[in-house]
Structure formats: C-alpha cells, structure tokens
C-alpha cells in the first residue's frame, strides 16, 4: 500500500488512464456514480471526489492515505471524501479499492467540473477545512469505549489531511491547474500558476465606518487587574465576553443572528450588536484574515467583497469605540492584552461603564500606540465602533429535566479508559 507521498516526476501525473484500465480489468470496482452537485466540500480539488457516499466508513481499510470521514450525520455515521489525490499507479489502485465501499457515492469526473477560478477559491477558503479538521480530530481522539480504535483511525485521517494541507497540496494544485489549462503536465522548469495572486493594498473606498458583521453577546461584569472596573463590559472580542450561540459567530444580517439564537439558552441581558470598522482601517483586518487562512465569510464579504458594504439595520444606537486585532481566528481586544494601565498612564485613556472609548480619535490614537509596541499579540490593531439594539433576544429554549443516571462503578470507569 502506497503511503500517498510519492513525488510526481515532472509535475502532474494524470491518474485517469490508469483508473480506466483497472476498472476495465476489474469491473466490480466500478462503483463511481457520485454527482458533482452532491460533492462534499471537504474533498481536495482533483479528478476523484466523494459525494453522497454511504456512511459505513470502510474506505480507509484500503485507502487510508486518500480517504477520510466527516461527521455530517453524527458519530460513526459520517460520509467519506478524498483528502489526497493519487499520484502514481499504486495509489490509484488503493483509492479505487477504497471507493468500492462507497456504494456508488464516489466519482472520478472532477476534471470536467474544476476550473481555474474554483480551484483558487477552494484554496483561498481552505481555512474552513482546517478549522473543521482540527476540532473534529481532537474530539475523536478523546473518545473511549467500544469504538475507540475506529475513532482513532478516523482522527488520524484528519491529521494526515492537515499535514497534506500544509505540505504537498500547494504544489499538487499548482500542477493540477496547469493540467486543467494546458491538458498536460508542466515540463521541468516551466512556469506554473500561483494559487494566491499577490494582493495589493487598495485605497480605502471611504473613511466612514463599514459594517463588518453582527453578533449576539451578553455584557460581563469584570473587575480583574489590568482591565477597567466595569459592570457591563462589552466588546466584539470573545476573549472577555461570551458570544451566542457560540464564540466566533458572525452573522450577515440581524435576522440570521436572531434565528441562530432562537433555540439556545439566552441570558436576559443578551443583545444584538454590530461591529463597524473605518474604511481606512478595514484593510488591516482583511489582510490579517487572509494571511491567517481562516474561514470568515461574513467579515470578508462585507469588508473585502465585490458588492457594496450594506448599511447597518435601522434602530441601532452607537455604544462606543474599542481597539481590536485579528489573530488566527480570534478577534482580540486591547483590554485582553494588559494594555489598560499603560494606556491610562501614557495616553490619559478613559473608558465608560462598557469598557469602551469615547470617540474615534481616541481609538485611533490608542491603536497607533499599541502597534508601536512589541509586547502585544502579533496583530495589526485597528479602531472599531459598536452599535446595539435594545430589543431583548427571544428564545424558545426550554430546559429539559432528566433523571440522573446511576453512577458507573469505579471498575467500569477504569475499563472505559482503555
């Protein structure tokens, strides 16, 4: 069994002629009936992909270096996808054998659908795959009990996927783009496409605050050292307050935000907020998101998308200003970087009962001061302002009282650990 890391001499190796020959010699292996419309978004670009596969999760028995499982339908009930394309005949045979267990859900017509633009778009948004794979592999690695070994193997598949994302996939896709465009493999020394074209800073469309997105949160009462004493600390950062329905949730519209919170437990003081970033500072946030390769569809669509940034919904009132910085999926606030005491001393900064700054001038001065320091998070600090709506968040959440199960005997708990 090939481990999937064989280098491709000269560039791209087309597996389809070998696959067609193997299927002609072994007709029973031809289980390729998947449709592009049902393609799993986790598949890497290339000729092979999983669509509506079965959920028996057996493909890794023959193709552990090419097939992984998702968690779309719950534990032990996910579908299969291709995380590494074959690059020689042995790998192609392994993948065909693994696809046999997909019962018609795999396909090998990806070349007919992938385009230069869609491959680049997939690579640009690969942070979505990375975040999912990290979270899921960590969860699966901690499972004990009867199906422990299956979960361990499934988690290993996602770790291999992450290694491929950060390793050879870039080179593979550059060669694959050349193959799609020219119909052949690049010759030694021949220029190949670059997946991400250099981005040049664009002049700001406006200096006015632009809507970045909406979030739902409940103000916190904090009295720790290094932060201002406040009863209603409010920030767009999930470092100091909890966002709903979970941290890092950004929404394009108030309706989406309220709908997402309708079925979860919502504190009585939770409110809808909007984050606005001045147009001449939005590029700093966009650049950090792009370089982190994280999945932020709402923020990028509003601040770096082709369409005009929408206006905030009616009825919101200005709450105040703060200073933020984006660091690999986390929006930090200056308050969680122990800058408050120094800012009070050096700049005469004052904050209100929400922990917010009084105006844009103060926020910009603080951001410039923070960016000149070398003892903060490695981010570009930028000013931002918050809007809020005074309407309480409605929810249909009803706690369900359940009988507590009898405690598991200590010897059983010990057995479950192994």
């Amino acid at each position: 069994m090939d481990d999937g890391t064989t280098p491709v001499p000269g560039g791209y190796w087309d597996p389809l002629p070998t696959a067609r020959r193997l299927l002609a010699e072994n007709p029973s292996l031809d289980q390729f009936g998947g449709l592009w419309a049902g393609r799993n978004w986790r598949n890497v670009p290339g000729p092979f992909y999983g669509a509506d596969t079965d959920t028996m999760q057996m493909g890794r028995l023959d193709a552990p270096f090419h097939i992984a499982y998702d968690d779309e339908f719950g534990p032990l009930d996910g579908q299969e996808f291709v995380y590494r394309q074959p690059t020689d005949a042995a790998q192609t045979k392994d993948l065909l054998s693994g696809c046999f267990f997909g019962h018609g859900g795999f396909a090998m017509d990806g070349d007919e659908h992938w385009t230069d633009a869609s491959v680049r778009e997939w690579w640009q948004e690969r942070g979505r795959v990375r975040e999912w794979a990290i979270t899921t592999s960590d969860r699966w690695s901690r499972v004990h009990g009867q199906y422990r070994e299956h979960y361990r193997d499934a988690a290993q598949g996602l770790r291999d996927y992450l290694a491929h994302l950060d390793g050879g996939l870039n080179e593979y896709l550059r060669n694959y783009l050349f193959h799609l465009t020219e119909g052949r493999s690049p010759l030694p020394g021949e220029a190949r496409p670059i997946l991400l074209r250099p981005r040049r800073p664009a002049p700001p469309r406006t200096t006015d605050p632009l809507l970045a997105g909406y979030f739902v949160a409940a103000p916190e009462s904090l009295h720790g050292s290094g932060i201002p004493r406040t009863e209603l600390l409010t920030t767009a950062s999930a470092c100091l307050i909890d966002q709903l329905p979970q941290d890092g949730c950004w929404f394009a519209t108030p309706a989406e935000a309220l709908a997402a919170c309708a079925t979860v437990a919502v504190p009585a003081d939770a409110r809808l907020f909007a984050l606005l970033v001045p147009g001449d500072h939005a590029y700093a946030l966009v650049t950090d998101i792009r370089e982190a390769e994280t999945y932020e569809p709402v923020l990028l669509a509003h601040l770096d998308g082709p369409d005009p940034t929408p206006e905030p919904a009616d009825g919101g009132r200005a709450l105040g200003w703060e200073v933020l910085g984006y660091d690999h999926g986390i929006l930090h606030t200056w308050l969680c970087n122990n800058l408050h005491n120094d800012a009070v001393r050096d700049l005469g900064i004052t904050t209100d009962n929400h922990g917010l700054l009084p105006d844009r001038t103060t926020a910009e001065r603080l951001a410039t001061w923070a960016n000149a320091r070398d003892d903060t998070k490695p981010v570009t600090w930028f000013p931002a302002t918050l809007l809020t709506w005074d309407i309480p968040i409605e929810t249909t959440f009803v706690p369900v009282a359940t009988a507590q199960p009898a405690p598991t005997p200590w010897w059983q708990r010990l057995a479950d650990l192994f």
Side-chain angles (χ1 to χ4, degrees), residues 3-347:
D3 67 359
T5 60
T6 303
V8 183
Y12 181 75
W13 182 81
D14 185 0
L16 293 181
T18 298
R20 294 187 184 104
R21 176 179 58 80
L22 290 172
L23 293 179
E25 296 172 354
N26 304 274
S28 63
L29 288 179
D30 193 350
Q31 297 290 326
F32 293 92
L35 299 178
W36 179 259
R39 176 180 55 91
N40 193 317
W41 58 270
R42 301 167 183 85
N43 288 284
V44 297
F48 294 93
Y49 60 90
D52 188 19
T53 70
D54 73 346
T55 58
M56 295 182 65
Q57 298 185 342
M58 297 177 63
R60 289 181 53 78
L61 296 176
D62 286 297
F65 304 110
H66 302 279
I67 291 176
Y69 309 139
D70 69 23
D71 58 347
E72 203 68 30
F73 300 104
L76 293 175
D77 200 23
Q79 293 185 320
E80 305 179 11
F81 62 92
V82 177
Y83 76 88
R84 183 189 282 119
Q85 298 286 340
T87 57
D88 64 21
Q91 294 177 25
T92 303
K93 183 177 181 180
D94 290 344
L95 180 56
L96 261 60
S97 298
C99 291
F100 172 81
F101 295 104
H103 295 285
F106 283 94
M108 48 186 285
D109 61 352
D111 291 2
E112 301 174 17
H113 301 282
W114 286 109
T115 64
D116 182 281
S118 62
V119 170
R120 294 180 190 277
E121 181 181 4
W122 188 95
W123 182 253
Q124 180 72 66
E125 301 298 337
R126 67 193 182 281
R128 180 188 181 193
V129 169
R130 176 179 282 108
E131 290 182 14
W132 170 81
I134 290 174
T135 301
T136 307
S137 62
D138 178 68
R139 186 174 73 250
W140 286 350
S141 296
R142 292 183 276 107
V143 171
H144 297 284
Q146 180 181 359
Y147 300 106
R148 175 181 179 178
E149 292 306 317
H150 178 88
Y151 276 110
R152 294 295 190 276
D153 174 68
Q156 183 60 54
L158 298 188
R159 287 193 292 269
D160 290 345
Y161 189 4
L162 289 166
H164 189 42
L165 278 174
D166 297 329
L169 184 54
N170 181 299
E171 289 300 302
Y172 174 85
L173 292 181
R174 292 181 65 190
N175 289 323
Y176 183 58
L177 279 179
F178 189 100
H179 167 75
L180 288 179
T181 303
E182 304 295 334
R184 60 178 177 84
S185 176
L187 300 174
E190 192 169 12
R192 297 165 301 151
I194 297 175
L195 289 176
L196 296 182
R197 297 187 176 94
R199 298 176 59 84
R200 297 179 179 178
R205 293 171 288 176
T206 177
T207 60
D208 294 335
L210 302 174
L211 174 66
Y214 296 92
F215 66 97
V216 175
E220 296 278 354
S221 175
L222 295 180
H223 308 286
S225 62
I227 59 176
R229 184 180 182 87
T230 174
E231 296 297 330
L232 296 170
L233 182 73
T234 308
T235 172
S237 169
C239 292
L240 297 181
I241 67 173
D242 292 330
Q243 295 177 342
L244 300 170
Q246 62 185 12
D247 289 344
C249 285
W250 290 97
F251 302 96
T253 67
E256 292 179 7
L258 299 178
C261 296
T263 58
V264 300
V266 177
D269 55 350
R271 294 292 184 271
L272 173 71
F273 298 93
L275 175 68
L276 282 73
V277 179
D280 48 344
H281 291 274
Y283 187 78
L285 172 57
V286 168
T287 298
D288 279 357
I289 293 174
R290 295 291 189 191
E291 291 181 352
E293 300 174 355
T294 46
Y295 186 63
E296 298 287 2
V298 173
L299 301 180
L300 291 178
H302 282 179
L303 299 178
D304 197 38
D307 299 325
T309 303
E311 293 295 324
D314 294 336
R317 60 179 175 86
L319 198 61
W321 287 78
E322 63 175 333
V323 172
L324 302 166
Y326 188 87
D327 179 27
H328 289 83
I330 300 174
L331 196 62
H332 294 293
T333 167
W334 69 287
L335 292 177
C336 69
N337 274 252
N338 295 316
L339 296 177
H340 178 257
N341 292 343
D342 288 353
V344 171
R345 182 192 65 228
D346 297 347
L347 304 176

Side-chain angles (χ1 to χ4, degrees), residues 403-409 413:
Q404 295 298 317
T408 304
R413 294 198 302 269

